[in-house]
Amino acid sequence: MKSLKQFIAMLPVLLFAGVTTAQDRSIILEEVLVTATKKAKAEELQDVAIAATAFNENQLELLQFRDLQSLSYTIPNIAMDDIGTTKGVANFSFRGLGVNSSIPSIDPTVGVFVDGVYLGTNGGVIFDQFDLEGIEILRGPQGVLFGKNVTGGAVLINTKSPTPEFEGSAKASMESGSNKTYQVSLSGPLKEDRLLGKFAAYYNDDGGYFKNLANGNSEFGKSKTTLLRGALTYFIGNEGNSDITLKYERGKSYGDGPAAQNHAIYDRDTFDFAVNNEGRQHNEWELASATYTRDIGDGTLTNITGYRNYEASSDGDIDASAANGFHSDAFSASEQFSNELRYNILINDFIDLTAGLYLFQQDQFYAEHRLVAGGAVQNSTGGGEIKSSTKALFLSADWNLTDSVTLITGLRVSKEVKDAKIATIPSNGCSVPAEQCYSFNFSDRDTWSNFSPKVGVQWFPNEDTQLYATLTRGYRSGGYNVRNTDPALSPGPFDEEEQTSAEIGAKLSANDGRVKANVAVFRNSIDDMQRELNLPGAGSVTQNITNSADATITGAEIEVIAALGDQFVLGLNGGYLDGDYDRIKTDISFDPNNAASGPQGTINSDDKKLALPRLAEVTYGANLTWQNQLEQGHNLLARVSFNHRDESAYTDNNAGILNAADMVDALVSLNTRDDITFSVYGKNLKDEVTHGGDTQLPNIGLFGGAGASFSPLSKGKVLGASVQVNF
């Protein structure tokens, strides 16, 4: 399946696979409600005109969900990977739009929202999650309702709210590498009909997975993570039309640095690596939200206030060898405040209107220390501070032209201001231990204004079929590079990246929801594509953020769920992407390790021939779930899945790549009549080798010679068992 024509030719086969009935509703077939349209009430996934995949609490448990990365191979045209350089830093790519950086001032292409609060940096996004109501994965630009940095899509994480009846759960699990996890959750009324409360706690002790060949340490990769969550819901007044929910999370994670592989020394299809600096990572965060709702007239007013404070320190062996080649430690901190006020009303059953105001403020700090060749070549520091403020007005209106046809319209007007102070890394302007910068060589302020419209049509030819077509725009913020590594280059500002996306989709259901098929085809036009150019240089690595090109990405995707008889459910998914550069604005083909790439700064036909980074041409997969009701009220479930993702370029010059992978997972679970669940499972059973990144290093003996790279390894095969008690 290497062409769009071949992919489309397979659609009829996929659409009608397994069209039979089932007597009992499987966990996989449970209807999922989504909040993606920001209306007063959640809507069924099959009713929204958005290409989305969503999971409720039961389905996440079935998938043995632990963090966002664990969903990375299960959904077409997406990759939700941890870069590995610094633990928890997301490098997500949806529909070929992604980033390849741990620089905190790099804005994402995929926005992550927790209980409606946008996470303002990529840092601290991929940490353990639990106690969830559901997750929604929205593909395609979501600029009207979600604002900036959602050109690829958005991830909505909804934690559990307090419940009106007492309930609780406790779970313990053990995985390969002596990886132990414990979690507990209690929820219920604190004052009848007035105040509800919830408390949840999580602890993970990972005993290490990898073997460091430099010293024989077979427990490399140790880490410990602690999460505490509390929530209160207060019902205001006696009319039952107003309430406020307060949520608070505090977390800490610390452990070893990256398991970095150097491809000049070790084969990229093995887990072999050797580092003489095992490094460290330490992360702490707080996340708080207050959601207030009130019925006013015929509509509902919603206000979401959010606060997040995140700090991370790290130390890593960037030369990924047993030599003192290139080591780096860093500290980053961010503090943000946001507030969204919106009102949703259905007017005369004709206009479903949502209008809102949004405010976001964030302060970021970053300091980095580089030690190259024991200090003989380079012993330098740098970093910077960025303060940003975003204000926006948004409006979304669904016009019910007939009982079956809806006109979709929307717009968002936003203004963003950023103030930057940068200390270029060779300037020795920052101190990681002191967590401060004291000699900036660059300061600037810039303002960007953006207009993001949306128009579309939604048609229900019958109650089980939806067809939709949309045209929309989204944008990534302009900004500055706090990891400026070349005094000859300016840290910024670089311009906004803008995307225009046209999409046509269909959602079909049959046999009372026992067969579902969702299909979408799309064309994305990207102007002023924002890229971080990672290049070997000056005995280490240089990073330059620039608006590199204009490009076009076309693609298609399909998801099918079908009941097979009384006990089996089959799931299929497939995605295809084709990306091409339309106009090159920066020399992206230059490779200091390859003399044939020519002098730096030359733009020619070689640039246009390159593959777009983070774009995997083909993704596909299948899963089969068996569920059987046993005697005496016990329920037995088994599931096996296979998912494939093509190889993709990691660096813009295509010198760095990410491996193709075939992921096989399996699960067997027994739920007793006493609501105790015993599970055994396996992840990545083929033991596929994947990496968070593939940054190229100078081809010199100090770094291992030709093919030298810094490529953090992800875990291979994992076997596990768990027991959960609900009460």
Side-chain angles (χ1 to χ4, degrees), residues 379-416:
N379 186 355
S380 56
T381 60
E385 301 175 0
I386 294 181
K387 296 184 177 182
S388 63
S389 175
T390 304
K391 298 177 182 178
L393 167 68
F394 62 92
L395 186 69
S396 176
D398 293 345
W399 308 73
N400 301 317
L401 303 181
T402 70
D403 290 340
S404 60
V405 178
T406 300
L407 175 66
I408 301 168
T409 61
L411 63 89
R412 190 183 192 100
V413 179
S414 60
K415 181 178 181 180
E416 184 168 23

Side-chain angles (χ1 to χ4, degrees), residues 94-142:
F94 283 19
R95 292 183 171 179
L97 286 172
V99 296
N100 60 341
S101 177
S102 59
I103 299 176
S105 58
I106 291 275
D107 285 303
T109 58
V110 179
V112 178
F113 300 78
V114 178
D115 295 321
V117 178
Y118 170 65
L119 304 187
T121 69
N122 283 320
V125 171
I126 302 184
F127 280 113
D128 298 353
Q129 290 285 350
F130 78 116
D131 185 50
L132 301 182
E133 288 182 356
I135 291 180
E136 303 167 35
I137 313 293
L138 316 181
R139 301 186 293 276
Q142 309 294 324

Side-chain angles (χ1 to χ4, degrees), residues 261-335:
Q261 186 178 70
N262 188 323
H263 296 148
I265 304 173
Y266 297 107
D267 191 306
R268 68 183 304 118
D269 292 320
T270 72
F271 289 96
D272 296 339
F273 76 100
V275 295
N276 68 326
N277 173 27
E278 294 194 333
R280 60 175 169 78
Q281 57 86 15
H282 187 99
N283 302 268
E284 293 191 40
W285 66 93
E286 291 179 288
L287 177 63
S289 66
T291 302
Y292 170 77
T293 63
R294 182 179 180 85
D295 295 335
I296 298 178
D298 294 328
T300 300
L301 180 74
T302 302
N303 191 89
I304 301 176
T305 302
Y307 171 82
R308 185 186 189 224
N309 183 32
Y310 171 72
E311 292 186 358
S313 61
S314 63
D315 181 24
D317 193 324
I318 311 302
D319 62 86
S321 74
N324 287 322
F326 176 13
H327 299 168
S328 176
D329 57 303
F331 172 81
S332 65
S334 65
E335 187 175 28

